[in-house]
Amino acid sequence: MSSKHSSTSKSATRFASDAVEELGWWRAHRLLILRRLSQLSVLSLFAIGPFLGLWLFKGNLSSSLFLDTVPLSDPLAILQVLMSGHWPELSLLLGAIIVVGIYALLGGRVFCSWVCPVNIITDLASWVRRTLSLPRTSEIPQNLRYYMLTLVLILPIFTGFTVWEWLNPVPVVYRALLFGASSGLWVLVVIFLLDTFVVERAWCSHLCPTGALFSLIGKVSPVKIAAVRADACNNCMDCFTVCPERQVLKPVLKKGSTQPFILNSDCTLCGRCIDVCAPRVFQYKNRFNSKYSNRIPLKVESKL
């Protein structure tokens, strides 16, 4: 058996074992656990209102009021209202502007990995695929989600309604958990089955219009993941295995690359590449830090 095949088998049976051995279990799973805590904490902040009467947040991720003062609104929901020919209340517009500002600063798709509850379902589907060693299926076009975003914004023009909000899985989760409205849960089942058995990472990486919008917002963000120690890469491919948007890794690991920052706004900033990398190639960095503007040639082969 060749060393390459042995490495592949090891990766399949003990994913990220090198990171666990080198860094310890906690450091190899730290950001994953923190993301779960973040997602559940956001949900809990909304839940303690109806369940405990402590109203830190009123509403849900589509539209809410923080401490009865600060409005927060889903920018995609507000855009749909505008496209339907209706003018939303000033507080809703202000809420959308605040949310856009937050995610433009932090990185647009940080919403997808650190806040969105659907991410738990899609990550579970990815884990099932990896555990069952299911073959990689043919990928659908990466930019399909932008066509979905366009469709979501066009439909209100012809219908006069925010059609997407009837199916949007994010408010479906919140309606089910906070108010017992379980009629839309079939959408989550479809997403899980689609991601597990049809197309890998189909929903978040290829179809979700919310992710498409936050990807556009995140283009200006200073917060990026950088391959600051790319010369230490040992080609284990664990980062490619776990990354929900593996295409964003190729430019920074390609032989001869002088750009350490993952500038592709499809990156969700989930940090799993940081977790599973034993040589500690990746870190969160400020893209405007000139310290990382140049780097030495890499050992990663051009076959990536």
Side-chain angles (χ1 to χ4, degrees), residues 7 42 142:
S7 176
V42 171
Q142 209 75 33

PDB file of all heavy atoms in Angstrom, residues 7 42 142:
ATOM      1  N   SER A   7      -2.184   7.528   3.894  1.00  0.00           N
ATOM      2  CA  SER A   7      -2.558   8.827   4.432  1.00  0.00           C
ATOM      3  C   SER A   7      -4.036   9.094   4.236  1.00  0.00           C
ATOM      4  O   SER A   7      -4.720   9.632   5.104  1.00  0.00           O
ATOM      5  CB  SER A   7      -1.719   9.920   3.755  1.00  0.00           C
ATOM      6  OG  SER A   7      -2.115  11.193   4.179  1.00  0.00           O
ATOM      7  N   VAL A  42     -27.372  33.101  20.764  1.00  0.00           N
ATOM      8  CA  VAL A  42     -28.241  34.037  20.048  1.00  0.00           C
ATOM      9  C   VAL A  42     -29.686  33.576  20.132  1.00  0.00           C
ATOM     10  O   VAL A  42     -30.604  34.365  20.404  1.00  0.00           O
ATOM     11  CB  VAL A  42     -27.794  34.173  18.575  1.00  0.00           C
ATOM     12  CG1 VAL A  42     -28.819  34.967  17.772  1.00  0.00           C
ATOM     13  CG2 VAL A  42     -26.423  34.839  18.490  1.00  0.00           C
ATOM     14  N   GLN A 142     -21.294  27.401  -8.220  1.00  0.00           N
ATOM     15  CA  GLN A 142     -21.126  28.142  -6.977  1.00  0.00           C
ATOM     16  C   GLN A 142     -21.943  29.427  -6.967  1.00  0.00           C
ATOM     17  O   GLN A 142     -22.421  29.863  -5.925  1.00  0.00           O
ATOM     18  CB  GLN A 142     -19.646  28.468  -6.786  1.00  0.00           C
ATOM     19  CG  GLN A 142     -19.206  28.585  -5.341  1.00  0.00           C
ATOM     20  CD  GLN A 142     -19.082  27.229  -4.674  1.00  0.00           C
ATOM     21  OE1 GLN A 142     -18.726  26.259  -5.323  1.00  0.00           O
ATOM     22  NE2 GLN A 142     -19.351  27.154  -3.392  1.00  0.00           N
TER      23      GLN A 142
END
